[in-house]
Amino acid sequence: MTSDQLQWAAIAAALALGIGLLVYDLRSKKVETTEKADVKLKIEELWHYPIKGLGGIRIESGKIGPQGFEHDRTFCLEKIHRDPETKEIIVYETMYSGFNLQMVLFKQKIEEGKEGKTITITRVGPENANPERLTWTGSEHQIRIPLRPQVSDLKKIHLDLHGSATDAHDMGEEVADWFTKYLGFETHLVYIGNNSRVVLGSGAPNGTMAQAKRSPYTAPLRRLLPTPLAPQPETITFQDIGQYLVVTKESNDEVSSRLAEGLEMDITKFRPNIIVSGSPAPYDEDYWSQVVFPGDIKMEFGGTCWRCQAITVDYKTGKKAEGDEGMVWKKLAADRRVDKGWKYGPVFGKYSYTAKKDYGKKIRAGDEVRLTRRVKERPVFDWPLSKAVIQAFS
């Protein structure tokens, strides 16, 4: 047999293997773990967060991209640690709103001008006499950056968020100095550009662990598939561990019922991408497996979202809220530590993912959504985290 014949034989074998695996999975996929559903939901609000941890932007429609909504969390803030002797940067420490509550005292707005789209960032703390003015005015309490910076002149760095690493680009000293003067420690803004992070654990449909759980007998054979035939793992930008976070009005109403009379939980403190109403019961989303949006956009669900102290923040002070609003994490922890893989705190909301076939399509506020599939048991968090990360978030 000639080398060409051997090559074609190998290709044919790979195709046969790929088709065989696909047929096997289609016959056995989640038969024992999922059940059909038919519930009508409504999209109440959509949100995205170009700069991770800062005040979010409510949007009327969200364009689907490879890592979730376009522009979502493509920037993040980094606390800088320098060598005391050489003064060289030795650590970029990613800032999270749960540890740095004062991040909510910065709001962001996307604007379009002669130089294209920019993000106007406004400090809305007590220093600013006009904190509601979020459009660009040239105020000392504002700075603006390109929505899509040119990275050729930016310093390239490497970051690791929860064990999933990526290259990124430091936005430079001018932006760093502006954030530093408010935060009280050296802070740099970084941009992910065209890079991304891989979703770890079994929370995303195409991840290695998810495939192994779904089809344990065929998973080892998948490693033999050529790259074009192998499902590509889901990726994210600077989101914590999933492309989208979906929450329900019904679950938020239940949280409000735990607060003192006259108080309501601000659902935006959960930092959702998609808020829906019509859930059959509070926390029913724990068991959601798939919803379908208009245009046959299918969204698959992964794990639940474990919560940090960000939900206790007072938006006016950037500190922990007084009274019951500052106790909401503790109130939820009483009976919402329901993820067997994360015993350290309560969960609220669920992460989800869209497929490549839907890139470029839009999800719109006000649209009707159909819940089409449920799981019989709550997912178990299994993203591999270091002991240091677990200790920090627990």
Side-chain angles (χ1 to χ4, degrees):
M1 186 177 288
T2 67
S3 60
D4 286 344
Q5 289 174 322
L6 286 171
Q7 184 176 15
W8 279 109
I11 293 173
L15 285 171
L17 176 61
I19 293 170
L21 290 173
L22 179 61
V23 170
Y24 179 87
D25 283 350
L26 286 174
R27 288 178 176 175
S28 62
K29 185 179 180 183
K30 299 186 179 180
V31 170
E32 63 288 328
T33 59
T34 66
E35 54 190 17
K36 291 183 179 180
D38 186 13
V39 177
K40 291 182 179 179
L41 308 167
K42 179 184 176 183
I43 302 176
E44 295 290 338
E45 297 178 17
L46 299 172
W47 290 80
H48 73 162
Y49 311 82
I51 304 175
K52 178 183 179 66
L54 273 55
I57 301 174
R58 187 174 177 178
I59 53 179
E60 290 304 310
S61 64
K63 186 177 180 181
I64 294 173
Q67 288 87 39
F69 282 149
E70 190 177 41
H71 309 308
D72 190 37
R73 295 171 172 93
T74 52
F75 297 85
C76 69
L77 290 174
E78 300 288 324
K79 184 176 182 179
I80 300 302
H81 299 265
R82 293 183 180 270
D83 183 291
E85 295 184 0
T86 66
K87 306 304 179 184
E88 293 293 320
I89 296 176
I90 54 175
V91 175
Y92 281 81
E93 178 189 342
T94 301
M95 293 174 59
Y96 301 93
S97 55
F99 299 141
N100 303 274
L101 297 183
Q102 61 177 314
M103 291 172 74
V104 302
L105 296 180
F106 300 93
K107 291 189 177 181
Q108 49 191 324
K109 182 180 179 65
I110 295 177
E111 300 188 89
E112 186 149 17
K114 296 179 180 178
E115 298 179 357
K117 290 185 177 181
T118 59
I119 306 174
T120 296
I121 309 160
T122 304
R123 169 74 173 188
V124 297
E127 316 88 347
N128 189 348
N130 299 295
E132 301 304 317
R133 187 71 181 271
L134 302 183
T135 56
W136 175 254
T137 64
S139 162
E140 64 177 311
H141 302 300
Q142 292 182 319
I143 194 169
R144 59 182 172 182
I145 60 173
L147 182 61
R148 294 179 180 272
Q150 295 292 328
V151 301
S152 55
D153 295 328
L154 300 179
K155 177 183 176 182
K156 187 176 180 180
I157 63 171
H158 191 71
L159 298 177
D160 188 313
L161 278 70
H162 305 321
S164 180
T166 182
D167 289 331
H169 309 274
D170 192 316
M171 291 294 292
E173 295 301 324
E174 180 182 356
V175 180
D177 291 345
W178 187 84
F179 277 106
T180 298
K181 73 177 179 180
Y182 292 112
L183 293 171
F185 48 81
E186 187 176 0
T187 308
H188 287 212
L189 182 68
V190 302
Y191 174 58
I192 200 166
N194 293 323
N195 303 308
S196 62
R197 298 163 50 231
V198 174
V199 177
L200 305 179
S202 63
N206 292 316
T208 302
M209 287 182 67
Q211 292 174 9
K213 280 189 174 184
R214 187 166 61 240
S215 307
Y217 299 110
T218 62
L221 298 176
R222 290 182 178 279
R223 299 172 187 171
L224 303 176
L225 288 174
T227 300
L229 293 177
Q232 296 303 302
E234 285 82 0
T235 57
I236 50 179
T237 52
F238 292 130
Q239 303 103 321
D240 282 340
I241 58 175
Q243 290 179 353
Y244 307 88
L245 179 62
V246 178
V247 304
T248 71
K249 180 180 180 298
E250 287 73 21
S251 295
N252 192 71
D253 288 345
E254 198 283 330
V255 176
S256 294
S257 73
R258 302 177 184 225
L259 306 180
E261 186 176 354
L263 294 178
E264 291 185 6
M265 180 64 188
D266 187 337
I267 199 169
T268 64
K269 291 184 182 181
F270 291 111
R271 305 190 69 78
N273 292 110
I274 304 173
I275 303 172
V276 300
S277 63
S279 176
Y283 310 118
D284 189 67
E285 62 272 19
D286 289 0
Y287 301 94
W288 292 0
S289 177
Q290 183 191 77
V291 295
V292 179
F293 296 89
D296 196 37
I297 298 170
K298 290 183 173 65
M299 181 173 281
E300 308 285 339
F301 284 84
T304 51
C305 176
W306 40 270
R307 311 310 314 199
C308 63
Q309 294 297 323
I311 63 176
T312 68
V313 71
D314 183 333
Y315 279 150
K316 294 181 180 179
T317 65
K319 299 178 182 179
K320 185 177 180 180
E322 301 290 336
D324 261 13
E325 291 175 295
M327 297 294 292
V328 68
W329 187 94
K330 187 173 183 179
K331 289 175 178 289
L332 279 176
D335 60 359
R336 286 293 297 164
R337 298 188 188 212
V338 295
D339 188 329
K340 296 177 181 178
W342 184 260
K343 61 183 179 179
Y344 309 101
V347 300
F348 185 99
K350 203 166 189 185
Y351 288 112
S352 59
Y353 306 85
T354 46
K356 186 175 182 179
K357 73 176 183 63
D358 293 320
Y359 291 176
K361 295 181 181 179
K362 290 186 177 181
I363 295 172
R364 293 178 170 80
D367 278 350
E368 183 178 279
V369 185
R370 291 184 298 114
L371 171 62
T372 55
R373 202 167 66 213
R374 299 166 53 87
V375 289
K376 296 180 180 180
E377 296 182 358
R378 288 187 179 96
V380 176
F381 177 77
D382 59 6
W383 180 296
L385 293 175
S386 68
K387 291 182 179 179
V389 172
I390 292 175
Q391 184 176 7
F393 279 91
S394 59

